Amino acid sequence: MKTPFNDSRLQADIQYLEDAMDEVIRYQEGDALLKLVEEFRTDCKKIKDQYDPSIEAFLLREAGQLDISLSSKLIQAFALYFYLLNTAEENFSMQERRDIQRLDGIVKGSFDECLIKLKDNGIDSKALLDLIADLSIEPVMTAHPTEAKRLTILKKYRKIYLTIFKKENPIWTPEEKALLREDIINEIAKLWQTGDLFLERPTVEEEVSNGLYYFRETFYDVVPKIYRSMKSHLRKFYPDIDAQVLMIPAFLRFGSWIGGDRDGNPNVTPELTKWTLTTQKNCILSLYIQSIQKLIENLSQSTTKAGVSEELLASLENDARNMPDVNQKIFNRNLYEPYRQKLSFIKVRLEETNRANELNSTSSDSFGSSFDAKKVYHNPSELLNDLHIIHNSLISNKGFWTAEIDIEGMIKKVEVFGFHLARLDIREESSKHLRTLCEIFERLALYPDFGNFPEEEKILILTEEIQNPRPLIFDDMELSAESRNTLETFRVIRWARENICPEAVGSYIISMTHRISDILSVLLLAKEAGLYRSVSEGVLVRDQTAKGIDIVPLFETIDDLQHSYEIMDGLFSLPVYKKYLAHRNSIQEIMLGYSDSSKDGGIITSSWELYKVQHKLWDVAQQHGIHLRLFHGRGGTVGRGGGPTHK
């Protein structure tokens, strides 16, 4: 049962941070500014508790009399104050959850609450595991202007949060508590003297770097903890599940728009998208190398004390043959320690894979052409196979805890992040595809004035061209810069599938989708780039790249939302599109626009139309035997359709 709400600790933390901030302001700016801040803060608290028009009038009058310099400092003080309040609230929420768990209570939204409900509803272990196997959750990172904080600012706030959390520990002496307070004051002082926002629009490279910060600092370490916690709760509520053989499927993945979203951002060029994909791969491979090094240090089991599987010994012999330049050094350094030996070979291969990635980003050759294929990991499956060999050997030789805690955590990281870190979504506005096709048709003297054709005629022409094996584009075709960029984006997707990872690029999102031809246009351009091959019934497409693009219409305006199910019904009825979906396991992803629909019709209208359209799209997909996946384009703020995300 949840404990009664008690915010005394929250108020204590707020006062603690407020006092620290006041000390910084007094030192940095003097008593005059501190007095002004205190006056405004006191009156704002009064008016929050009980509205008083006289206080409001006083605040407006006082604010209007301030000069620019003083106004900016007052705004800075309140901005800092509110961020510190958020920090205190985050710590309080986390501590409150811990208090509930310490009293054997149930935290809302936790694994405990979920599994209790499932069990109460008669879901047995088999049904539960089937349910988990069918889960697909993919948070997507975006570089939206509503998050304008610089990376250096975010790091400082995180340091303050960690220090606030740290001071909760009752072991500290008064002297140590004083030092912790000085640490917080130091960070607040640096925040006061640091530019809070980007003075100029950040470059795409800076946006990518900001996004990678969250993966390095949070997601990478948290992911194995989530799966381990889930496994622990499954054991608790479903003891008939064999913990030793249970391997929870990787239902969690991450996506990103940063470096792939070119809608409204001309700076996101094909070259920058390629750089983003290479940088993401470099980031995750570097993290893997660090993790493997830690495992080398930790897995010290010796053959003089424990057994080892024949499979692992055979793999070591194979590694030795494939890496003769390092095998003796590895064996001599880790004598009688086969797990360290295997992990050392894995590390060598990861380092070579990372080096190949950096060099390959500047080359148009296919992956691995300039490298020893026996040393480089060509895909995450090869790395996973090596990790499973270690895992199986530990399980069969009384190393269950090491297998579960150390190796399963690493396996989960590779399953979730692959060699791509996060699936990079590409987004482009529908009219760009139409203009590109019109220009191509014009150069070929085909379908003059295609852009003004009736929709039915466009569908017929696009269908015919998608099925036609004859290419439309030749190497020296003269096209505008915009059309070349559009085509090159599709070529970069193909390059990423072949050189980064088959999962490197996720959805191709068509913003402002108004009609069926908007979707078929993308399918035709994908075919021209070798990303889709229309074949006869019963013929297997062996080239995985040729079926490697997820076309996702984005319905944004109220009008488009209201007509979206009609568009998809017509699209699903086309044999050419059903054939494409057959290559995608009959899965159709559709993105729903929360922000633009809110701006178009207001928050209530948007919410109601989004609710209705989800039911209608589901019905249409069911009628056509299509598996529907919805991409909810909502942010955290109300203005972007946000709400209680945890629900």
Side-chain angles (χ1 to χ4, degrees):
M1 181 180 246
K2 186 171 178 178
T3 55
F5 181 80
N6 183 351
D7 69 347
S8 59
R9 181 162 52 193
L10 172 60
Q11 295 304 322
D13 277 349
I14 290 173
Q15 191 61 54
Y16 181 89
L17 291 171
E18 190 177 298
D19 291 344
M21 189 188 83
D22 289 352
E23 190 168 333
V24 170
I25 292 175
R26 179 184 290 109
Y27 176 71
Q28 297 289 332
E29 305 293 339
D31 288 330
L33 179 64
L34 177 59
K35 183 180 178 183
L36 182 66
V37 169
E38 287 176 335
E39 288 175 353
F40 270 78
R41 191 165 58 205
T42 300
D43 285 342
C44 285
K45 286 179 180 178
K46 287 179 182 177
I47 206 171
K48 177 180 74 70
D49 295 332
Q50 179 65 52
Y51 176 70
D52 186 334
S54 64
I55 296 178
E56 180 184 29
F58 171 77
L59 288 170
L60 291 172
R61 185 173 61 253
E62 289 297 305
Q65 294 174 357
L66 300 176
D67 59 32
I68 293 295
S69 175
L70 203 52
S71 294
S72 66
K73 290 179 180 178
L74 184 64
I75 291 169
Q76 181 184 2
F78 271 88
L80 177 57
Y81 176 63
F82 288 133
Y83 273 101
L84 293 176
L85 286 184
N86 287 341
T87 301
E89 287 178 353
E90 287 175 15
N91 179 60
F92 175 72
S93 296
M94 185 269 295
Q95 296 292 352
E96 187 183 31
R97 289 194 298 272
R98 286 171 178 263
D99 285 345
I100 294 170
Q101 290 172 328
R102 273 192 287 265
L103 296 172
D104 291 327
I106 304 300
V107 176
K108 194 172 182 61
S110 65
F111 287 136
D112 272 349
E113 184 191 45
C114 179
L115 291 171
I116 287 171
K117 287 181 178 179
L118 289 170
K119 195 149 191 179
D120 288 345
N121 281 279
I123 303 297
D124 62 19
S125 56
K126 183 183 182 305
L128 177 63
L129 294 176
D130 289 343
L131 179 65
I132 294 171
D134 201 38
L135 276 177
S136 177
I137 302 170
E138 187 172 332
V140 179
M141 305 287 287
T142 63
H144 199 270
T146 52
E147 176 50 85
K149 289 291 177 190
R150 297 168 59 199
L151 181 57
T152 186
I153 297 295
L154 296 174
K155 287 181 177 179
K156 288 177 172 57
Y157 280 122
R158 176 159 177 77
K159 191 169 181 180
I160 291 172
Y161 169 78
L162 292 174
T163 308
I164 283 286
F165 168 69
K166 190 177 179 180
K167 82 175 183 67
E168 297 282 345
N169 196 319
I171 67 169
W172 306 122
T173 65
E175 182 182 352
E176 288 170 326
K177 287 182 179 179
L179 293 175
L180 288 174
R181 185 174 186 276
E182 286 183 6
D183 288 340
I184 289 176
I185 289 174
N186 180 36
E187 293 305 316
I188 295 174
K190 286 186 284 188
L191 281 167
W192 186 263
Q193 295 182 334
T194 301
D196 198 30
L197 303 174
F198 288 105
L199 298 180
E200 298 177 357
R201 178 170 181 163
T203 65
V204 178
E205 292 93 335
E206 288 171 332
E207 290 175 338
V208 170
S209 296
N210 277 11
L212 294 182
Y213 167 78
Y214 294 99
F215 286 94
R216 284 193 302 266
E217 298 298 321
T218 304
F219 301 148
Y220 183 76
D221 289 327
V222 164
V223 159
K225 295 177 182 177
I226 291 173
Y227 284 97
R228 189 179 173 196
S229 174
M230 186 174 188
K231 194 170 182 178
S232 173
H233 285 84
L234 286 174
R235 286 182 194 146
K236 176 180 175 182
F237 292 99
Y238 290 86
D240 58 316
I241 294 176
D242 189 342
Q244 291 209 15
V245 299
L246 174 62
M247 188 74 79
I248 298 173
F251 57 83
L252 177 65
R253 297 285 197 281
F254 289 89
S256 176
W257 279 17
I258 311 172
D261 182 11
R262 58 233 322 114
D263 183 13
N265 189 351
N267 297 318
V268 182
T269 62
E271 293 76 20
L272 268 172
T273 296
K274 187 176 180 181
W275 174 86
T276 299
L277 290 158
T278 304
T279 301
Q280 287 188 175
K281 185 171 183 177
N282 172 265
C283 176
I284 192 58
L285 288 175
S286 298
L287 289 170
Y288 288 162
I289 291 166
Q290 294 171 21
S291 295
I292 293 296
Q293 179 57 46
K294 290 179 182 177
L295 289 175
I296 292 171
E297 295 167 4
N298 290 333
L299 266 69
S300 55
Q301 290 90 333
S302 169
T303 52
T304 63
K305 300 289 185 179
V308 62
S309 70
E310 292 297 325
E311 183 186 30
L312 178 57
L313 294 175
S315 75
L316 284 172
E317 291 178 7
N318 188 57
D319 288 339
R321 283 193 301 271
N322 293 333
M323 290 174 265
D325 54 326
V326 296
N327 62 17
Q328 205 56 52
K329 182 179 179 182
I330 287 173
F331 286 137
N332 290 342
R333 183 192 305 146
N334 306 294
L335 204 60
Y336 307 119
E337 296 174 340
Y339 297 112
R340 278 181 165 167
Q341 292 168 358
K342 182 62 183 176
L343 288 164
S344 296
F345 281 122
I346 290 174
K347 184 184 176 188
V348 169
R349 295 191 67 184
L350 283 170
E351 288 171 341
E352 185 68 8
T353 305
N354 203 17
R355 190 173 73 86
N357 174 55
E358 293 171 352
L359 295 175
N360 191 52
S361 65
T362 59
S363 169
S364 59
D365 296 336
S366 63
F367 182 84
S369 60
S370 303
F371 301 93
D372 183 357
K374 295 179 180 178
K375 211 173 203 182
V376 171
Y377 281 119
H378 294 84
N379 54 65
S381 297
E382 294 180 358
L383 173 58
L384 283 170
N385 183 61
D386 278 346
L387 292 171
H388 278 293
I389 288 172
I390 296 173
H391 181 273
N392 294 340
S393 178
L394 287 165
I395 290 290
S396 59
N397 288 280
K398 300 183 178 180
F400 168 71
W401 290 292
T402 304
E404 182 173 272
I405 296 171
D406 294 317
I407 303 302
E408 275 190 33
M410 189 68 205
I411 288 172
K412 278 291 163 274
K413 287 176 179 178
V414 179
E415 287 178 344
V416 170
F417 298 111
F419 282 175
H420 59 290
L421 185 69
R423 294 200 323 164
L424 186 66
D425 289 344
I426 307 296
R427 184 172 72 146
E428 185 58 277
E429 204 264 327
S430 59
S431 63
K432 294 276 188 75
H433 310 122
L434 177 61
R435 288 197 293 270
T436 299
L437 284 175
C438 286
E439 195 172 346
I440 292 169
F441 291 151
E442 182 183 332
R443 295 287 182 271
L444 297 171
L446 284 171
Y447 320 118
D449 201 26
F450 176 77
N452 292 318
F453 283 13
E455 174 67 3
E456 293 76 13
E457 194 170 351
K458 283 182 182 175
I459 292 172
L460 288 173
I461 290 169
L462 291 169
T463 297
E464 181 181 334
E465 291 299 336
I466 289 167
Q467 294 174 320
N468 194 333
R470 175 261 297 139
L472 287 170
I473 304 167
F474 50 87
D475 289 342
D476 56 348
M477 180 179 278
E478 291 186 10
L479 295 170
S480 65
E482 179 185 271
S483 294
R484 287 198 307 272
N485 265 345
T486 300
L487 292 173
E488 188 58 30
T489 297
F490 285 92
R491 293 180 185 128
V492 167
I493 295 173
R494 182 180 177 94
W495 173 89
R497 301 278 191 195
E498 296 171 344
N499 293 271
I500 299 294
C501 182
E503 299 294 319
V505 176
S507 305
Y508 191 100
I509 300 160
I510 312 166
S511 61
M512 290 299 166
T513 300
H514 303 303
R515 54 192 70 87
I516 291 174
S517 61
D518 292 335
I519 302 166
L520 293 181
S521 295
V522 171
L523 184 56
L524 177 54
L525 292 172
K527 171 227 169 188
E528 290 298 312
L531 285 166
Y532 174 66
R533 188 178 304 154
S534 180
V535 295
S536 302
E537 293 294 336
V539 177
L540 178 67
V541 177
R542 296 188 182 279
D543 180 5
Q544 294 300 308
T545 303
K547 52 180 182 177
I549 183 169
D550 284 314
I551 299 173
V552 179
L554 166 53
F555 299 107
E556 302 179 79
T557 66
I558 297 296
D559 185 64
D560 287 337
L561 285 170
Q562 290 172 339
H563 291 92
S564 61
Y565 69 96
E566 297 171 357
I567 294 172
M568 299 312 298
D569 185 35
L571 187 67
F572 292 154
S573 300
L574 296 175
V576 68
Y577 197 76
K578 290 207 90 167
K579 190 181 293 185
Y580 155 75
L581 285 178
H583 297 317
R584 311 298 308 158
N585 298 318
S586 294
I587 297 173
Q588 175 66 62
E589 184 174 311
I590 297 173
M591 183 171 179
L592 304 175
Y594 285 64
S595 175
D596 282 314
S597 61
S598 290
K599 288 183 282 188
D600 186 26
I603 294 173
I604 295 176
T605 300
S606 168
S607 298
W608 178 237
E609 293 300 333
L610 285 162
Y611 171 79
K612 289 192 299 181
V613 78
Q614 289 178 60
H615 285 276
K616 291 178 179 178
L617 287 171
W618 173 261
D619 290 339
V620 168
Q622 290 290 98
Q623 291 165 17
H624 289 274
I626 303 299
H627 303 291
L628 182 65
R629 181 165 59 207
L630 294 178
F631 182 172
H632 297 275
R634 57 186 289 182
T637 61
V638 173
R640 293 193 54 75
T645 305
H646 70 277
K647 291 186 179 179

